[in-house]
Amino acid sequence: MTTLFISDLHLDAERPQTTALFGQFLRSEARGADALYILGDLFEAWVGDDDPSETGAYVAAELRALADSGVPVSFIRGNRDFLLGDDYARRAGMRILPDPAVVVLYGQPTLIQHGDLLCTDDVAYQQFRAQTRDPAWQAQFLAQPLAARLAFAQQARAASKAHQSGLRDAGTMETITDVSPATVDSVFARYGLVRMIHGHTHRPAVHELDVAGSARQRVVLGDWYDQGSVLRVNRDGLQLQALS
Ligand code: MN
C-alpha cells in the first residue's frame, strides 16, 4: 500500500483543467491509497471559508467522497491558503495538521511541511508571514466583507509578483526563493529525523544529503501548473512522479 503526497496545485477558476486533473486523481489512484497528504497551496488564494467559489465547492465534494471511501486526508496550510479554516476542512472531510508536523510512514518518522518556513533568506516574505499568521490579524481580516477580502488577495498576489520580479532583476531569485541549506540542516538537527517532505519552492527533487556525516533525505514536491505531481511512499521507499 502507498501513502500519497501532493502540494502546490494552486487551484482556481482560471485553470479548470488542473481542477479536473485533481478530481480525476482523487477518483482513481487516491482511492487505493493508505492516506493522502496535501502539503499546502491547494488553492491559488483563500480569503475565508464563506467564499462561495465553485472550485472550492467542487474540491470539497471530491475530497469528502475520497474520505468517505475510507482514505484519510490531511492538509497543511500553504502561503496561499493559510486562511483555510476548520469549517471548510469539515466540509472536505480532511484534518488540518500544524506546519511542520511529524508523521510515521511505514516505520519511518518523517517531517512534513509546506516549505515556506525553510526559505529564511526571504526576509520580506517571512515578515509578511509572521504578520498574517497572527490570530488578531486573521480575525480582523476575516471580519471584512468578502469583496474587500477578495480585493486584498488580488493586491497581495500583485505585490508577490512584483517582489519576485524585483528578485529576478537583482539576480537573487534562485537563491532567495529556495530553501536555506543552513535552515534545512538545523531543522533536521532539531527534529532528529532523516527525512523531510515539503512543497512550496516548485523545484521537485529528491535530495540525498550528508549532514555531519549522516544521510538525510529532503523530498520536494512539484507544482501542478503544466502537469500534476505526486509522491508515492511505501514500505520499500519513495517515488516522485509527474502526473498528466
Ligand atoms: Mn507556497
Short mmCIF file of all heavy atoms in Angstrom, two decimals, residues 8 10 39-41 78-80 114-116 125 199-202, ligand 1:
data_model
loop_
_atom_site.label_atom_id
_atom_site.label_comp_id
_atom_site.label_asym_id
_atom_site.label_seq_id
_atom_site.Cartn_x
_atom_site.Cartn_y
_atom_site.Cartn_z
N ASP A 8 0.89 22.39 -3.84
CA ASP A 8 1.05 23.44 -4.86
C ASP A 8 0.22 23.20 -6.13
O ASP A 8 0.73 23.35 -7.24
CB ASP A 8 2.54 23.62 -5.19
CG ASP A 8 3.35 23.96 -3.95
OD1 ASP A 8 3.27 25.12 -3.51
OD2 ASP A 8 4.01 23.06 -3.39
N HIS A 10 -2.47 25.02 -6.61
CA HIS A 10 -2.86 26.40 -6.93
C HIS A 10 -4.17 26.44 -7.72
O HIS A 10 -4.29 27.14 -8.72
CB HIS A 10 -1.74 27.12 -7.68
CG HIS A 10 -0.52 27.36 -6.85
ND1 HIS A 10 -0.32 28.51 -6.12
CD2 HIS A 10 0.56 26.57 -6.60
CE1 HIS A 10 0.83 28.43 -5.46
NE2 HIS A 10 1.39 27.27 -5.73
N LEU A 39 0.14 19.12 1.08
CA LEU A 39 1.07 19.98 1.85
C LEU A 39 1.02 21.44 1.41
O LEU A 39 2.06 22.07 1.16
CB LEU A 39 2.49 19.42 1.75
CG LEU A 39 2.70 17.98 2.24
CD1 LEU A 39 4.19 17.64 2.31
CD2 LEU A 39 2.04 17.74 3.59
N GLY A 40 -0.18 21.98 1.33
CA GLY A 40 -0.32 23.42 1.14
C GLY A 40 -0.43 23.92 -0.27
O GLY A 40 -0.05 23.24 -1.23
N ASP A 41 -1.00 25.12 -0.39
CA ASP A 41 -1.27 25.74 -1.68
C ASP A 41 -2.10 24.82 -2.58
O ASP A 41 -1.86 24.70 -3.78
CB ASP A 41 0.02 26.22 -2.38
CG ASP A 41 0.62 27.44 -1.68
OD1 ASP A 41 0.03 27.93 -0.70
OD2 ASP A 41 1.69 27.91 -2.11
N GLY A 78 -0.76 26.29 3.17
CA GLY A 78 0.34 26.90 2.44
C GLY A 78 0.32 28.42 2.58
O GLY A 78 -0.48 28.96 3.34
N ASN A 79 1.19 29.09 1.86
CA ASN A 79 1.22 30.55 1.96
C ASN A 79 0.09 31.20 1.18
O ASN A 79 -0.18 32.38 1.34
CB ASN A 79 2.57 31.10 1.49
CG ASN A 79 2.93 30.65 0.11
OD1 ASN A 79 3.03 29.45 -0.15
ND2 ASN A 79 3.12 31.58 -0.81
N ARG A 80 -0.59 30.44 0.29
CA ARG A 80 -1.73 30.99 -0.44
C ARG A 80 -3.05 30.69 0.25
O ARG A 80 -3.99 31.47 0.14
CB ARG A 80 -1.78 30.41 -1.85
CG ARG A 80 -0.55 30.66 -2.69
CD ARG A 80 -0.24 32.17 -2.78
NE ARG A 80 0.72 32.42 -3.81
CZ ARG A 80 0.40 32.85 -5.03
NH1 ARG A 80 -0.84 33.09 -5.35
NH2 ARG A 80 1.34 33.04 -5.93
N HIS A 114 4.74 22.75 4.60
CA HIS A 114 4.54 23.39 3.29
C HIS A 114 5.89 23.70 2.67
O HIS A 114 6.11 23.42 1.49
CB HIS A 114 3.69 24.66 3.42
CG HIS A 114 3.53 25.34 2.10
ND1 HIS A 114 3.03 24.67 1.00
CD2 HIS A 114 3.85 26.59 1.67
CE1 HIS A 114 3.03 25.50 -0.05
NE2 HIS A 114 3.53 26.66 0.32
N GLY A 115 6.79 24.31 3.45
CA GLY A 115 8.14 24.57 2.93
C GLY A 115 8.55 26.04 3.02
O GLY A 115 9.74 26.36 2.97
N ASP A 116 7.56 26.94 3.16
CA ASP A 116 7.93 28.36 3.18
C ASP A 116 8.75 28.73 4.41
O ASP A 116 9.57 29.64 4.35
CB ASP A 116 6.69 29.27 3.03
CG ASP A 116 5.57 28.95 4.00
OD1 ASP A 116 5.50 27.80 4.48
OD2 ASP A 116 4.78 29.85 4.28
N TYR A 125 9.40 38.26 2.93
CA TYR A 125 8.30 37.28 2.97
C TYR A 125 8.08 36.76 4.39
O TYR A 125 6.93 36.63 4.84
CB TYR A 125 8.54 36.11 2.01
CG TYR A 125 7.53 35.02 2.31
CD1 TYR A 125 6.18 35.23 2.00
CD2 TYR A 125 7.88 33.87 3.00
CE1 TYR A 125 5.22 34.30 2.37
CE2 TYR A 125 6.93 32.93 3.37
CZ TYR A 125 5.60 33.16 3.04
OH TYR A 125 4.64 32.25 3.42
N GLY A 199 6.74 21.14 -0.05
CA GLY A 199 6.49 21.71 -1.38
C GLY A 199 6.98 23.14 -1.40
O GLY A 199 8.08 23.43 -0.94
N HIS A 200 6.16 24.02 -1.95
CA HIS A 200 6.33 25.47 -1.95
C HIS A 200 7.32 26.01 -2.98
O HIS A 200 7.03 27.00 -3.63
CB HIS A 200 6.72 25.98 -0.56
CG HIS A 200 6.90 27.46 -0.51
ND1 HIS A 200 5.86 28.34 -0.76
CD2 HIS A 200 8.00 28.24 -0.29
CE1 HIS A 200 6.32 29.58 -0.67
NE2 HIS A 200 7.60 29.55 -0.40
N THR A 201 8.49 25.41 -3.11
CA THR A 201 9.50 26.02 -3.99
C THR A 201 9.29 25.67 -5.47
O THR A 201 9.93 26.26 -6.33
CB THR A 201 10.93 25.58 -3.59
OG1 THR A 201 11.03 24.16 -3.74
CG2 THR A 201 11.24 25.96 -2.15
N HIS A 202 8.42 24.72 -5.75
CA HIS A 202 8.15 24.28 -7.12
C HIS A 202 9.44 23.77 -7.78
O HIS A 202 9.68 24.03 -8.96
CB HIS A 202 7.54 25.41 -7.97
CG HIS A 202 6.23 25.93 -7.43
ND1 HIS A 202 5.33 26.63 -8.19
CD2 HIS A 202 5.66 25.84 -6.20
CE1 HIS A 202 4.27 26.96 -7.46
NE2 HIS A 202 4.46 26.50 -6.24
MN MN B 1 3.70 28.02 -1.46
#
